[in-house]
Amino acid sequence: MAAALPAVTIASNNYLALARVWAESYREFHPGAPVFLCVVDTPSPAVDYDAFPAQVIFAHELPIPGFRNFAFRYDVLELNTAVKAALLDHLRDAFGLDRVAYFDPDILVLDQLGGLAEVLDHHPLALTPHVTGPLDDRRNPSERKIRMVGVYNLGFVALRLDDSTRGFLTWWADKLHRFCRNEPWSGLFVDQAWMDFAPAYVENVAILREPIYNVAYWNLPQREVSRRGGRWLVDDRPIGFFHFSGMDFTDLDRVSRHQDRLAPGEVPAVRPLFAEYRRRVEAAGHAELRRQPYGYERFAPDGPAVPAFARRVLARIDPEGRRFADPFERTGDDNFFDYMAQGLAFPAGVVSRGALCLWESRPDLRRRFPNPGDGDLEAFRAWLESDEPGRPELPAEWRVTPLGGEVGEWVAAVGEAANDRRGGPPWPPFFARLLTTVGHDDLRTKPPLERLAELDLGTLGPLTPWLNDPVPGTAQPRPFLTRLALLVHASRPDLEVAFPDPLGRDQRAFAQWFCRYGPAELGLHPDYVLPIADSLPRFFPRSTPPPRLHLPPLPAAAKPEPVVEAAPNFMSRGARLANSPLPGPRGVNVIGPLAEFGAAGLWARGCAELARSVGWPVAELDVGDDVWGQQVGGLGSPAAGVPFGLTLVASPADAVHKTLSRVPVPRFADGGLIGLWSWDYGWLSPDLAYWSVPFDELWVPNAALAAAVAPVVDVAVRVVRPWLGPPPEPAPRAELGFGEAPDRVVFVVPFDGTEVDGEREGLALVLAAFAGLAAARPERVGLCLSATGAFPSAARLACLETELAGLPAVVAPDPRRTPALIAAADALLTLPRAEGLGFAAALAGQAGVPVVAPMASPFDEWLDAASGFPVPARAVRLGAWRGSLPPTVAWRESDPEAISAALAQVCDFPDEARQRAAVARSRVAALHGEGAIAALNRELGRLGERFSP
């Protein structure tokens, strides 16, 4: 008898009868073999696990980090397959097994499998393909479907548990931890589709084509099953094991519910085998066990069922359990259930986060209710309450506007008290909407108008932040109205007559009245007027000048960071409810093209690195151009989701809509969204300004960009300069393209790899100026065009090679090497017609490399005749449409003669160039080094108080 091969299966409590039949059949033909069962479920008092004919291991005992979070993210099928690689690792490490065979629980062993042990003597891994010959029709399963779900069936796998498979199991476990999804249409089918890589990743994999292994519905059309002498045969050989995948216990002629290739009754020879298997499963107690509840199906032991879309929401927001370590739990201040039940205020009312997430997960709902926060809200709510087919069961707390309980009673009491007190017209409709944003605790003890009369509004108190909170639902984003303003309106019949529609056509007029006459008539403290006054047009005369802070004078060398404030816009993103839990623990999500080498990627990575250095937990979400790779799993490390309440989104202004499309709706609607915007022109089009609406505030890298953005957006715009990180290590001199050549002055010229013509970068002017320099000094100068942002296309490289013909010039196409090439250069030359950040020049200044650049923003913040070689530039209109930019938008043209003079000066006076570069290094460090660190720490601390507990 061949060596007994250890075997293992995986099942939840409702499949334990099938797992028992498998274990008994395996032991029948392999007496003494170690047999294991992994139960992917919580222990049930109705099950005697000690009596099971296998050693029982519970999935939560496996070394899977954050198991409760992991279990929540997958449904029962996905979780049963997601633990497989971790289980095999555990059998090796905890039980010392050096080989094992895995079988699905719906398998019946019909013969001794000594051949498998022999296979593992010569191969580290053995797999069975679904089919071993072509399928030439359109029935199910087709070759295309098999290709989608995986070439090899993972109902069986045998492998050695040694160094030959250790690395492969680690890789497989990582994929199953992150991407064990039942989504064949997206290339993901639980654990199985990943196994297609096995023959490429593991040497000498055995592909078992013998018909005796893993006989099932998918290969029955290619095999002949018979019974002779009491034994089951396939192609006249004893069947090793039969896989009853998709078997219908009520219809034995159907073969499997997963196929239509075999008609019912078309293979009558197997019917007795199906009948025998059903008898054994029923004898094992399947009728009772199949009704066992799944332990990872509900919130808390007796709570509502977990909707399928909620599992995906958690996977997008917090896949590492940084915030919701146990999403099943319903207790504690910050639990996932309450997070999903929390209301989000929109112009038309309040929507629970759970309902919003359902809407996001369903393309049909997004088409049917395209604007669930405004015009389609009532219809969406009606659908949630309907019995229409296709509506999933949601926890009651997630289904409707959260106006019940204490808050609902308080709102009702307020309405009754107001009508009794005034004895006249009904409570204004807009005021009920005001109260749906959840009242302050101090106002719940009595009607708000009565409580308001008791307040001394000439001083500030604990109710001030609540009273000053803007109210969503106004007709225009500016001016906004505060709770106090609407409470005053509701308390004064004369105001109701004068301004009957304060959230519509009378919005601005009432805001002007409140700011001009409110302080005198109501005795208001200036801070109650300031929020509304600041949101009014600037020409409106304020009756009470806003207070100004008296700060000590700044040192002469320091410059204050400009802040351009604007009124928050609450029209498209619902304001957080005033008294609701703040969204998340202290930490920051950083979203952007983190793997790219353009300005947005550098800025985002710098923010993440700085935040970590001062103790902030950081979750990174890469939203580069490789959307498919990001979604399916092309990341080099696990995506951390967006679990925290504060989110930094780095993006060029014209790509914000693409970046935000990758942000989960809950985080998008929560607030705490800070945009790190870059833009190259002094004019921002309204269609781009529209994408500022979801943000709480925008950060821009310099004052010039703030001046371009602030006038057309309705959020605060702050100058927060990017951190450049430590200076780059210089590349070897030869990498510049001219050998060692210590006497040759090599200029590095950065160019955007995503550009197609170089017109914005002024490359034609650069090359013309350099050609004149090279003609006078052919052996003393060199030019290295180095890509930034992305690798240039082959067509762009071919064009550049043509343009450089005859010049001592080379192209360096790898953007990853550009910082090192800049640090190794003798000087940097950049003459962009439009530039918003100037990162390449700042990197050169940081590295002590002389810079030739236009005398314009953003270079003028640190570049002058003492710190480099600024070239005069003048504003010139585009003259033609460039993308969304109209002909009237200006960019700059540098002076050709000044360019030639600056290049010659760098070459002829190297000592002076180095002295200027030393000054630049100090200035850049103040802006993008220590200054950037201090600014980011200050801003994170300020925002952390708002968006973290």
Side-chain angles (χ1 to χ4, degrees):
M1 182 176 293
L5 183 65
V8 63
T9 193
I10 300 171
S12 296
N13 287 330
N14 66 331
Y15 247 52
L16 287 181
L18 285 75
R20 175 181 286 277
V21 170
W22 166 81
E24 290 172 347
S25 68
Y26 192 83
R27 284 187 177 277
E28 177 184 351
F29 291 98
H30 306 84
V35 178
F36 299 87
L37 164 68
C38 179
V39 178
V40 182
D41 217 327
T42 55
S44 170
V47 178
D48 185 0
Y49 299 100
D50 293 334
F52 201 84
Q55 183 160 346
V56 175
I57 304 167
F58 282 93
H60 64 260
E61 299 171 340
L62 299 176
I64 297 176
F67 180 81
R68 296 282 290 181
N69 179 282
F70 171 74
F72 187 96
R73 291 189 278 115
Y74 293 129
D75 63 25
V76 62
L77 168 65
E78 294 167 338
L79 189 60
N80 270 263
T81 51
V83 303
K84 191 176 294 182
L87 171 63
L88 298 177
D89 260 337
H90 183 66
L91 294 175
R92 178 193 64 216
D93 298 338
F95 295 92
L97 300 187
D98 62 354
R99 57 182 59 195
V100 69
Y102 167 82
F103 299 86
D104 270 357
D106 54 356
I107 282 176
L108 182 67
V109 179
L110 297 169
D111 199 8
Q112 207 276 334
L113 302 176
L116 293 179
E118 296 176 3
V119 167
L120 293 184
D121 288 338
H122 305 284
H123 304 272
L125 179 65
L127 302 170
T128 54
H130 278 106
V131 292
T132 56
L135 302 174
D136 57 0
D137 57 42
R138 297 183 178 181
R139 292 186 179 181
N140 182 39
S142 64
E143 288 174 327
R144 181 178 178 183
K145 182 174 181 179
I146 290 173
R147 183 66 188 87
M148 292 170 68
V149 301
V151 173
Y152 309 103
N153 179 259
L154 260 290
F156 162 80
V157 60
L159 71 164
R160 295 204 299 253
L161 298 175
D162 57 18
D163 290 342
S164 63
T165 60
R166 187 184 299 271
F168 177 74
L169 282 180
T170 300
W171 169 84
W172 194 27
D174 174 68
K175 295 302 179 186
L176 300 190
H177 194 274
R178 298 159 53 202
F179 302 114
C180 192
R181 299 176 186 166
N182 183 14
E183 299 174 359
W185 56 89
S186 67
L188 299 173
F189 182 66
V190 292
D191 64 327
Q192 188 166 278
W194 294 107
M195 193 55 69
D196 285 358
F197 287 101
Y201 291 179
V202 180
E203 293 186 7
N204 198 23
V205 173
I207 308 301
L208 303 180
R209 297 173 54 86
E210 289 88 340
I212 62 173
Y213 299 123
N214 213 3
V215 185
Y217 72 83
W218 50 81
N219 53 42
L220 270 178
Q222 299 176 328
R223 302 179 186 185
E224 183 178 350
V225 175
S226 61
R227 191 174 189 181
R228 189 166 58 244
R231 302 187 69 182
W232 285 98
L233 309 177
V234 58
D235 296 348
D236 292 326
R237 295 176 58 187
I239 296 177
F241 56 92
F242 197 100
H243 194 164
F244 296 88
S245 176
M247 174 180 171
D248 185 347
F249 282 80
T250 65
D251 185 359
L252 300 185
D253 291 323
R254 191 178 176 188
V255 180
S256 173
R257 60 181 179 273
H258 301 317
Q259 64 90 38
D260 61 14
R261 186 171 294 280
L262 296 172
E266 188 174 338
V267 282
V270 301
R271 196 181 195 286
L273 176 59
F274 277 59
E276 172 61 17
Y277 182 67
R278 180 174 66 179
R279 184 193 64 77
R280 294 181 65 166
V281 170
E282 289 175 347
H286 186 55
E288 295 296 328
L289 289 170
R290 67 191 296 268
R291 289 193 284 269
Q292 283 291 310
Y294 179 50
Y296 302 116
E297 187 174 33
R298 296 185 172 275
F299 289 99
D302 300 317
V306 176
F309 74 87
R311 299 185 188 276
R312 295 295 185 254
V313 170
L314 183 74
R316 292 187 68 191
I317 291 178
D318 190 21
E320 296 180 342
R322 296 189 180 198
R323 177 174 179 183
F324 304 112
D326 187 354
F328 297 99
E329 184 59 61
R330 292 191 59 182
T331 60
D333 294 334
D334 187 34
N335 63 77
F336 185 70
F337 184 89
D338 290 346
Y339 172 79
M340 295 291 280
Q342 184 182 359
L344 300 173
F346 288 90
V350 180
V351 183
S352 74
R353 186 179 283 105
L356 191 62
C357 290
L358 170 63
W359 173 86
E360 180 191 27
S361 71
R362 294 267 299 266
D364 60 323
L365 296 183
R366 297 201 301 270
R367 290 191 298 269
R368 184 171 174 181
F369 311 109
N371 193 353
D374 201 345
D376 298 312
L377 177 57
E378 290 305 320
F380 181 48
R381 283 183 186 154
W383 179 84
L384 288 172
E385 293 299 316
S386 72
D387 295 326
E388 182 178 322
R391 184 187 62 76
E393 278 299 321
L394 296 184
E397 295 88 338
W398 300 9
R399 290 178 59 183
V400 296
T401 303
L403 289 178
E406 181 182 2
V407 175
E409 295 171 4
W410 180 69
V411 171
V414 168
E416 293 175 6
N419 289 332
D420 290 344
R421 176 172 179 167
R422 302 193 307 172
W427 196 254
F430 73 83
F431 193 58
R433 196 187 316 163
L434 161 70
L435 300 180
T436 64
T437 60
V438 184
H440 193 282
D441 288 338
D442 288 351
L443 288 179
R444 292 181 180 174
T445 57
K446 58 181 65 178
L449 299 185
E450 186 177 326
R451 183 72 176 88
L452 184 64
E454 300 174 358
L455 295 176
D456 179 6
L457 296 179
T459 61
L460 304 180
L463 277 177
T464 298
W466 187 83
L467 291 169
N468 271 350
D469 202 38
V471 175
T474 53
Q476 300 295 328
R478 299 175 69 179
F480 61 72
L481 298 176
T482 61
R483 283 194 175 92
L484 174 61
L486 293 186
L487 284 168
V488 168
H489 185 280
S491 70
R492 295 263 304 255
D494 59 326
L495 295 180
E496 289 190 7
V497 172
F499 311 108
D501 188 11
L503 298 186
R505 66 179 183 273
D506 301 316
Q507 178 183 341
R508 175 171 292 187
F510 176 58
Q512 291 174 337
W513 177 91
F514 185 86
C515 295
R516 181 169 292 160
Y517 302 107
E521 292 192 22
L522 304 171
L524 298 179
H525 188 281
D527 279 8
Y528 286 117
V529 178
L530 183 60
I532 299 177
D534 271 349
S535 73
L536 282 164
R538 293 307 180 194
F539 59 79
F540 176 72
R542 296 169 174 156
S543 58
T544 306
R548 295 288 180 248
L549 297 178
H550 299 285
L551 301 175
L554 292 167
K559 294 182 179 180
E561 295 292 341
V563 177
V564 184
E565 296 287 357
N569 186 310
F570 293 89
M571 292 300 293
S572 292
R573 175 193 51 76
R576 283 168 309 287
L577 306 186
N579 219 29
S580 58
L582 288 171
R586 184 179 189 268
V588 59
N589 313 304
V590 178
I591 300 175
L594 298 170
E596 297 178 6
F597 294 88
L602 289 170
W603 196 354
R605 289 197 298 274
C607 286
E609 187 173 342
L610 272 184
R612 286 194 189 94
S613 69
V614 294
W616 279 72
V618 175
E620 296 181 352
L621 179 62
D622 192 346
V623 291
D625 288 338
D626 183 18
V627 175
W628 175 257
Q630 298 293 336
Q631 291 179 342
V632 174
L635 296 173
S637 59
V642 285
F644 304 118
L646 178 61
T647 303
L648 306 182
V649 182
S651 175
D654 56 352
V656 169
H657 61 294
K658 294 181 180 179
T659 303
L660 288 180
S661 70
R662 302 288 309 283
V663 180
V665 161
R667 177 58 58 235
F668 184 90
D670 276 349
L673 205 63
I674 312 300
L676 280 60
W677 277 30
S678 57
W679 185 239
D680 292 338
Y681 301 90
W683 178 84
L684 188 69
S685 63
D687 61 319
L688 296 183
Y690 167 80
W691 289 103
S692 69
V693 169
F695 293 96
D696 289 88
E697 61 186 55
L698 300 179
W699 292 359
V700 294
N702 53 62
L705 190 51
V709 172
V712 291
V713 301
D714 287 313
V715 294
V717 178
R718 294 177 178 271
V719 174
V720 182
R721 290 181 176 81
W723 180 59
L724 296 180
E729 288 292 327
R733 179 79 178 179
E735 196 174 333
L736 291 171
F738 299 94
E740 295 301 327
D743 296 331
R744 186 185 291 265
V745 178
V746 179
F747 293 86
V748 165
V749 176
F751 72 97
D752 188 346
T754 63
E755 284 281 310
V756 295
D757 53 17
E759 189 178 10
R760 182 185 62 82
E761 301 157 322
L763 281 185
L765 190 59
V766 167
L767 296 181
F770 181 75
L773 182 72
R777 303 169 174 80
E779 302 299 327
R780 290 192 53 205
V781 296
L783 190 70
C784 177
L785 291 179
S786 189
T788 63
F791 284 86
S793 65
R796 179 84 193 278
L797 287 175
C799 289
L800 288 175
E801 294 290 349
T802 300
E803 294 173 3
L804 296 178
L807 294 176
V810 298
V811 177
D814 189 347
R816 296 170 296 185
R817 297 298 298 159
T818 296
L821 293 177
I822 290 174
D826 295 295
L828 180 126
L829 170 61
T830 180
L831 300 171
R833 289 172 161 179
E835 175 64 67
L837 278 79
F839 264 21
L843 285 172
Q846 179 193 41
V849 174
V851 173
V852 179
M855 192 181 299
S857 174
F859 312 107
D860 59 358
E861 291 193 321
W862 57 271
L863 184 66
D864 58 22
S867 60
F869 300 86
V871 176
R874 61 188 180 91
V876 177
R877 290 185 175 182
L878 293 179
W881 282 92
R882 182 179 177 85
S884 62
L885 297 171
T888 53
V889 171
W891 57 12
R892 54 179 168 258
E893 291 285 359
S894 300
D895 182 356
E897 294 184 2
I899 298 169
S900 300
L903 297 181
Q905 197 170 3
V906 171
C907 292
D908 297 339
F909 301 98
D911 291 340
E912 181 184 350
R914 283 190 289 270
Q915 291 174 3
R916 297 189 187 189
V919 176
R921 176 184 292 176
S922 175
R923 292 182 180 180
V924 171
L927 290 174
H928 297 287
E930 297 88 346
I933 294 173
L936 185 62
N937 286 341
R938 180 179 66 248
E939 298 301 331
L940 288 179
R942 174 181 61 84
L943 294 169
E945 295 178 359
R946 289 181 58 194
F947 301 112
S948 298

